[in-house]
Amino acid sequence: MDSYQKVLIIDTTTGFYRIKRYRVGAFFGPVDLGLHLTAHNFCLNFGTGLLAGSIFPGSNRLIFTGFSPCWSGFYISSMGGAGLVFDNLGINMVSLIGKAPAPSVLYLNRVHGEEIEVEIIPLDLRSVWSSGRGGIYALIDQVFEQLSDRYENDPRILAVGPAAQATDFGAITSVPVVNRKLTHVDTWAGRGGLGSRMLQWHGIAAVIYGGTVIDEDFRNRKVADEWFENKYHKKLAAKDFEATTKYRFDPKFGTGGTFGVNFSTLAGKMFSFNYRSMYMEEEERQAIHEKFIVSHYLKQFNEETIAGKQQRNCGEPCVAVCKKMNGEFKKDYEPYESMGPQCGVFDQRAAEKLVHHADMLGFDAISVGGVLSWLMECLDRGLLKPKDIGVKGNPAFSSRGFSIETDSMHNAELGMQMLDAMIEKRGVLDFSEGARKLARRLARERGEEVKDTLVYSAFARVGWMVPNQYWTPGVLAPMAIMGKYYMYYGTDFLPPRELGRVSAERFIKELSIDNIGLCRFHRNWAEEMVPEIVESLYGMGKAYEQNLSITASRINSRNASVFWETERSIDLVHTFLRRKRDVEDERDDELIKWLDFFEKDRREASLSFWYEVHKGVHESLREFR
Ligand code: SF4
C-alpha cells in the first residue's frame, strides 16, 4: 500500500490553508520535497523525516528548506528535537506561502483526529522584542504565555529576533518545553538566514505548534535490534552509545561535546583574531592554544560544564546529551570559536555574554562571529573608525600582552555594541543585503583592504556565508550549499580535484541524513543504515539512494559558486598548504606542486585550485555519470 507525506500549505496573507499529499517514492523527505516546493513557489518549508516519532535516536530533527536570503540559493537548515512535537500534528511538513500583512504568530494545533487548527495572530513585534528577556527570548516567553494553555501536551515554539528584520542572516530558534516550562536549551536552525526569510517574506515571527495525534511510527525495538545486530553485532542502543561518544564524553580527551573535543585537539590549527593566526609561526599559535585555551577557556568549560555534568538533550530522548550547558548558556564549538578566539575572547564569562547577546538578537552565530571579528580587525588596523560603526573604543586584538579576563571582556563588550549597531544600522553598518555587499561597498569607498579581511564563500551576485571554523580548504569549497557540513572538512591534504569528489560524496551522505530527518551526530551508523531502514520499512532502499543522487544533482545544477573574492579567503587555503609542508612535514608531490604554483603565481594558482575542486564536484554530482 502506498504511503503519503502530508504537507500543510498555508497562505500567510489570508490564513487559508490546505493539505496536499505526496507519495513516498516520488519524494522521500523534507529535503527533496522542500526542493520541489521551492522550485514552484516562493515558500519556506519545515517538516520532519519519515522516521520522526520512531525509536531511532536523533530522528526528530525539524528540517527547514527554502531560498536563503544570505546564500542566495536553495538552503537546508535543521533544528534538533523540534520534530518530536511537530509529529503530534499528524503531518509531515508545513509550507508557508504569501506574506501576513503584519508580523504574526502562526498557531498550529491538532487534537486527536480532528482537523488541524491554523490561526495567524498579529503581534506588536518591536515592543515584544524590547520587553523582558529581550529579543527571541522575550518573543518565546510572550507566545508561551499567550497560547500554551490551548495545548493538551507541551507545545514547541519557533521564534526569530531583531536580526531577522535588520539583516539577511537572522536565525530561527526554539527551546524544548518540559512539563509546561520553557527550558534554557536553545536549539537553532542557524545557518542560511531562514529566520530573515520567515519574517521578511512571510510575515511570521513565531510559530507555536503541538497536538495529540498518535500515528503509526516505527517503534519495534526487537526488529531494530535485529537489523543492528546483523550489521554491527550490537543492539541499536549500544551502537548509538558508541557512535555518539564525542558528543557525550570522550575519555580519550577527558571532555565532551563539540566545544570540549575540538578545543582539546585544535592546537596549532586553531584560528584566532579574525584568522590572523594563519600568519603566525606555529610556536605562537601553539602558545596561544596552550595558555589561553587549555589553561583557561577549556579548563573553565571542563570544570563548570563537564565536571558539573551540566548536559541536556535537544528535546528528544538521546544518550548523546550533546547540549553542554553552564546554567542558561549552551556551549558549542563554532559559536564559541567565531565569537571566542576569533574575536579575541578567551574567557567563558566574556564569551557567554557575547554569544548570549547575539543569540538574544537572533543572529546566525557563526556568520555573526565572522562579521564581528572582521569589524574588530578593521578597527584595530584603522580601516574603520569606531564612529563609522557607532561604537566606542578599539579591540585588544593581539596575543602579545593580552590579559585573558580583562581584554576578553573588553572585546566581548565591544562586540555587543557592534551587534546593537548592526540592528540599529548605525553608521556604515547596513546588513540588510548582507556582509558581502557591505564589504564591496566599503571597498569602493575606503579601499580593498576592508573587504580583503572578511572570509566568506561567495554565491551568485550577493550570496555569502562565513565558513565553518576549521582550517582546511574544504570549508571554502565551491559547493551549492556551504556553511554546513555538506563538504569535506577533514584537515588532511587532498588534491583539489579529489577534494571536490570527496566533498560531493559528503554532500550526498549529509543529504541522506537530512532527508530522513536524522541528527548528524548519529551519522556513524545512520549513513550506512538509513537506506536499509527505508528498504525494510517501505521496500524502497535503492530508490531512496537513487533519489539522493538526483536531488544532489538538482541542487548542484543551481551551483552559482563564485571564485574566492578576498585575499584572506585565498590565504586560508594557501597557509593551510604551507602549514602542511612546514609544520606537519608532508611531502606529497601534489602538495609540493600546488605550493610551488602558489608561490610563483598566487592569483592563478588559487583560481586553478578553486576550479579543480569545482570540477571534482561537478563530475560527481550528476544525474547520469
Ligand atoms: S545528538 Fe544532540 S542534537 Fe542530536 S539528537 Fe542527540 S541531543 Fe539532539
Side-chain angles (χ1 to χ4, degrees):
M1 199 176 72
D2 283 341
S3 303
Y4 289 87
Q5 296 182 75
K6 287 176 241 159
V7 180
L8 175 68
I9 300 170
I10 304 170
D11 184 342
T12 54
T13 318
T14 57
F16 287 152
Y17 61 90
R18 68 196 163 105
I19 298 261
K20 206 165 167 191
R21 281 162 221 272
Y22 294 86
R23 188 176 55 78
V24 174
F27 300 98
F28 283 93
V31 178
D32 62 341
L33 189 47
L35 179 67
H36 170 76
L37 294 172
T38 306
H40 294 88
N41 280 309
F42 277 125
C43 57
L44 175 70
N45 317 299
F46 51 94
T48 53
L50 292 174
L51 301 181
S54 73
I55 53 164
F56 292 107
S59 58
N60 295 293
R61 238 172 146 79
L62 193 64
I63 310 287
F64 296 75
T65 59
F67 186 88
S68 155
C70 60
W71 184 237
S72 269
F74 177 73
Y75 211 83
I76 305 156
S77 200
S78 70
M79 179 184 276
L84 192 59
V85 177
F86 188 91
D87 194 46
N88 298 339
L89 286 168
I91 55 174
N92 302 83
M93 186 187 278
V94 166
S95 182
L96 303 178
I97 57 172
K99 182 172 180 184
S104 301
V105 181
L106 172 63
Y107 166 82
L108 302 172
N109 194 357
R110 190 165 184 194
V111 181
H112 304 295
E114 288 175 24
E115 197 182 328
I116 203 156
E117 293 170 36
V118 179
E119 278 180 50
I120 293 174
I121 306 163
L123 81 168
D124 182 351
L125 194 52
R126 277 183 186 276
S127 72
V128 174
W129 277 338
S130 54
S131 67
R133 297 194 285 156
I136 53 157
Y137 300 116
L139 180 54
I140 289 174
D141 289 346
Q142 160 77 28
V143 173
F144 185 72
E145 203 175 293
Q146 192 181 333
L147 296 164
S148 64
D149 283 351
R150 297 204 205 168
Y151 293 87
E152 276 185 36
N153 298 336
D154 287 332
R156 191 135 172 170
I157 298 165
L158 312 174
V160 304
Q165 192 161 67
T167 76
D168 67 347
F169 61 115
I172 302 174
T173 191
S174 174
V175 293
V177 178
V178 180
N179 299 328
R180 300 274 148 190
K181 283 205 173 67
L182 294 165
T183 66
H184 290 301
V185 191
D186 39 21
T187 55
W188 294 83
R191 310 244 67 190
L194 296 180
S196 300
R197 167 83 212 227
M198 188 160 88
L199 182 62
Q200 292 176 25
W201 293 26
H202 302 295
I204 298 298
V207 183
I208 182 166
Y209 60 89
T212 53
V213 176
I214 299 168
D215 45 20
E216 289 171 15
D217 300 319
F218 175 77
R219 304 207 56 85
N220 193 331
R221 188 162 293 275
K222 203 161 157 259
V223 170
D225 279 342
E226 258 173 47
W227 298 339
F228 275 72
E229 272 170 351
N230 287 342
K231 187 113 193 154
Y232 302 112
H233 310 294
K234 281 189 177 91
K235 291 192 164 140
L236 163 62
K239 179 64 189 168
D240 189 56
F241 195 81
E242 172 198 283
T244 52
T245 301
K246 168 180 174 180
Y247 305 105
R248 182 176 45 257
F249 179 80
D250 194 333
K252 275 207 305 282
F253 306 108
T255 187
T258 55
F259 185 104
V261 174
N262 288 352
F263 276 117
S264 296
T265 51
L266 279 170
K269 294 198 286 262
M270 189 187 79
F271 291 132
S272 56
F273 300 105
N274 193 38
Y275 305 88
R276 288 206 295 208
S277 52
M278 298 187 308
Y279 307 119
M280 296 170 187
E281 295 296 327
E282 180 72 3
E283 292 69 39
E284 193 178 348
R285 285 191 292 261
Q286 300 242 10
I288 292 176
H289 185 255
E290 192 51 46
K291 189 170 155 205
F292 297 171
I293 302 296
V294 176
S295 307
H296 189 77
Y297 200 43
L298 177 62
K299 187 162 172 265
Q300 290 175 305
F301 171 81
N302 284 338
E303 286 171 359
E304 295 163 354
T305 297
I306 298 298
K309 292 201 165 35
Q310 297 196 61
Q311 46 189 24
R312 305 273 181 280
N313 62 41
C314 60
E316 69 167 280
C318 171
V319 293
V321 283
C322 73
K323 308 296 174 200
K324 305 301 187 209
M325 311 291 295
N326 183 32
E328 64 187 296
F329 306 109
K330 178 168 65 74
K331 313 281 168 93
D332 288 315
Y333 164 66
E334 295 208 70
Y336 275 77
E337 161 63 22
S338 70
M339 281 183 272
Q342 291 276 46
C343 285
V345 173
F346 300 89
D347 175 68
Q348 291 293 341
R349 300 297 80 76
E352 283 165 357
K353 254 183 126 170
L354 180 57
V355 175
H356 185 74
H357 201 65
D359 286 351
M360 182 274 287
L361 295 171
F363 280 103
D364 163 3
I366 302 172
S367 280
V368 85
V371 167
L372 293 177
S373 65
W374 168 56
L375 293 174
M376 288 200 188
E377 180 172 339
C378 288
L379 289 181
D380 183 56
R381 291 172 54 193
L383 301 171
L384 291 172
K385 299 275 176 263
K387 67 172 170 20
D388 294 334
I389 58 171
V391 300
K392 293 200 176 82
N394 285 302
F397 222 54
S398 159
S399 63
R400 307 226 166 109
F402 190 88
S403 159
I404 297 184
E405 290 174 32
T406 317
D407 287 337
S408 293
M409 190 56 82
H410 170 80
N411 289 341
E413 283 170 354
L414 181 62
M416 289 163 70
Q417 288 181 50
M418 288 175 178
L419 293 169
D420 292 337
M422 287 163 71
I423 297 298
E424 290 162 22
K425 302 190 179 171
R426 289 187 215 146
V428 298
L429 295 188
D430 182 351
F431 286 90
S432 45
E433 290 183 275
R436 180 177 166 208
K437 193 144 185 206
L438 175 63
R440 213 152 54 197
R441 182 158 61 73
L442 290 173
R444 279 195 292 270
E445 291 165 5
R446 295 162 191 246
E448 296 261 316
E449 269 181 301
V450 181
K451 166 187 74 72
D452 277 332
T453 46
L454 178 64
V455 176
Y456 57 88
S457 290
F459 197 78
R461 179 71 185 129
V462 294
W464 66 288
M465 185 65 59
V466 170
N468 297 101
Q469 297 292 295
Y470 297 93
W471 192 359
T472 177
V475 300
L476 289 173
M479 307 284 292
I481 294 177
M482 287 301 289
K484 309 169 45 73
Y485 301 103
Y486 276 48
M487 46 74 194
Y488 182 71
Y489 60 105
T491 53
D492 44 332
F493 168 74
L494 294 180
R497 184 84 171 242
E498 184 60 18
L499 174 60
R501 291 184 192 130
V502 174
S503 292
E505 272 169 39
R506 284 302 328 151
F507 193 101
I508 292 180
K509 291 229 158 78
E510 296 283 336
L511 201 57
S512 166
I513 295 197
D514 275 349
N515 205 26
I516 205 84
L518 263 165
C519 165
R520 70 185 298 278
F521 289 180
H522 301 262
R523 66 190 176 282
N524 280 348
W525 59 261
E527 283 174 5
E528 271 184 335
M529 286 300 287
V530 164
E532 293 188 28
I533 294 169
V534 175
E535 176 61 30
S536 304
L537 298 181
Y538 297 93
M540 289 191 245
K542 199 93 224 120
Y544 185 78
E545 290 185 292
Q546 279 163 355
N547 172 279
L548 288 175
S549 174
I550 293 169
T551 303
S553 75
R554 286 191 182 149
I555 296 173
N556 192 55
S557 71
R558 299 172 177 90
N559 185 350
S561 290
V562 172
F563 172 54
W564 303 315
E565 288 184 333
T566 73
E567 293 300 314
R568 189 68 51 92
S569 305
I570 294 172
D571 284 344
L572 189 149
V573 176
H574 186 185
T575 55
F576 165 85
L577 300 175
R578 246 199 230 143
R579 188 177 178 281
K580 279 279 148 200
R581 180 192 61 193
D582 300 344
V583 176
E584 296 186 5
D585 202 25
E586 224 178 289
R587 289 288 176 263
D588 181 285
D589 289 347
E590 273 279 316
L591 172 69
I592 303 301
K593 187 190 93 184
W594 279 102
L595 268 167
D596 288 347
F597 194 1
F598 264 88
E599 270 140 43
K600 209 163 82 210
D601 186 345
R602 185 169 176 282
R603 197 83 204 154
E604 187 62 26
S606 52
L607 183 62
S608 301
F609 194 99
W610 187 94
Y611 263 108
E612 282 295 305
V613 183
H614 198 257
K615 279 189 207 168
V617 174
H618 274 270
E619 71 188 339
S620 309
L621 297 181
R622 293 154 60 85
E623 196 165 339
F624 302 101
R625 305 226 171 141

